[in-house]
């Protein structure tokens, strides 16, 4: 236990020490604030209701976008895996969505949606092609012998899907969900920085930059990173029973 704690703390202490040394050498808080100044700023932020509201609203937008994009991705993945004509029709568009820069989506959505809805929509667009590809690939990876055996025993389409195709697709789906959540978080915060809804971590970042408040900018960056790590841990914990296909 002591070794494990030490292996975690040692790198953190090293980088914090390097940060503190750099701040001392630079000697200008506007360029590089010290860790102590950032921690003090973060403590002050956490004492306000606006901080928690902004953090929770950002989480809500990103999670809503992730759920929406994942649902659409799984539905389209199932359709393109089942029907060749559907694959030929939808695959080019979904691949195009994956290649378009996130900034382009953000700017285009300014013409069509209220700014409060843009971060969630961008997050959904980022999750959609990732989950679609994982679903399509996972369903296609089902063991042909098991599919043949299910037909031999007269299993219907639903039973074949539940007992054969879904267990085969779960490992790919878990990987797709994890990747999509990370993309959703980064793209959602980026959208908030640009469109600046009232309560948002991205808006707080942009405001701190505009007023040259370096400690506040660093503090909110730490919050964004911490929330990202928390989401990643929560996703890994939630998907643990299904990662190897044993939760079907």
């Amino acid at each position: 236990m002591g070794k494990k704690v030490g292996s975690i703390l040692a790198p953190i202490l090293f980088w914090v020490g390097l940060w503190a040394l750099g701040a001392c050498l630079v000697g200008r808080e506007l360029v590089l604030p010290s860790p102590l100044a950032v921690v003090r700023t973060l403590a002050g932020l956490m004492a306000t209701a606006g901080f928690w509201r902004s953090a929770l609203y950002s989480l809500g937008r990103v999670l809503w976008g992730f759920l929406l994009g994942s649902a659409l991705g799984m539905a389209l993945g199932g359709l393109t895996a089942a029907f060749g004509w559907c694959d030929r029709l939808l695959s080019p568009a979904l691949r195009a969505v994956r290649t378009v820069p996130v900034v382009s989506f953000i700017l285009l959505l300014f013409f069509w949606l209220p700014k409060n809805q843009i971060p969630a929509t961008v997050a959904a667009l980022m999750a959609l092609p990732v989950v679609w590809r994982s679903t399509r690939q996972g369903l296609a990876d089902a063991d042909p012998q098991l599919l043949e055996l299910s037909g031999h025993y007269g299993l219907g389409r639903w039973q074949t899907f539940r007992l054969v195709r879904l267990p085969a697709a779960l490992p790919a789906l878990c990987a797709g969900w994890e990747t999509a959540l990370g993309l959703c978080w980064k793209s959602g915060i980026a959208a908030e920085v640009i469109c600046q809804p009232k309560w948002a971590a991205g808006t707080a970042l942009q405001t701190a930059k505009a007023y040259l408040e370096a400690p506040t900018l660093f503090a909110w960056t730490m919050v964004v990173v911490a929330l990202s790590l928390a989401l990643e841990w929560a996703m890994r914990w939630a998907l643990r029973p299904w990662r190897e296909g044993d939760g079907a």
Side-chain angles (χ1 to χ4, degrees), residues 205-220:
L205 285 168
Q206 179 63 18
T207 302
K209 174 257 180 186
Y211 287 98
L212 303 178
E213 297 173 349
T216 304
L217 183 60
F218 271 70
W220 271 107

Side-chain angles (χ1 to χ4, degrees), residues 54-66 101-103 105-107 109-110 114-127 179-206 224 227-228 231:
S54 295
L56 290 174
Y57 272 49
S58 291
L59 276 173
R61 292 187 189 99
V62 169
L63 289 176
W64 170 241
F66 169 74
V102 64
V103 175
F105 278 126
I106 296 169
L107 296 177
L109 290 172
F110 261 108
K115 64 181 182 180
N116 285 334
Q117 297 178 14
I118 293 174
T121 306
V122 169
L125 287 170
M126 293 299 103
T179 302
L181 185 59
L183 288 173
C184 285
W185 181 248
K186 289 188 288 187
S187 60
I189 296 298
E192 290 180 348
V193 169
I194 295 175
C195 65
Q196 299 182 49
K198 184 175 181 181
W199 300 108
T203 302
L205 285 168
Q206 179 63 18
V224 169
L227 290 175
S228 176
L231 283 175

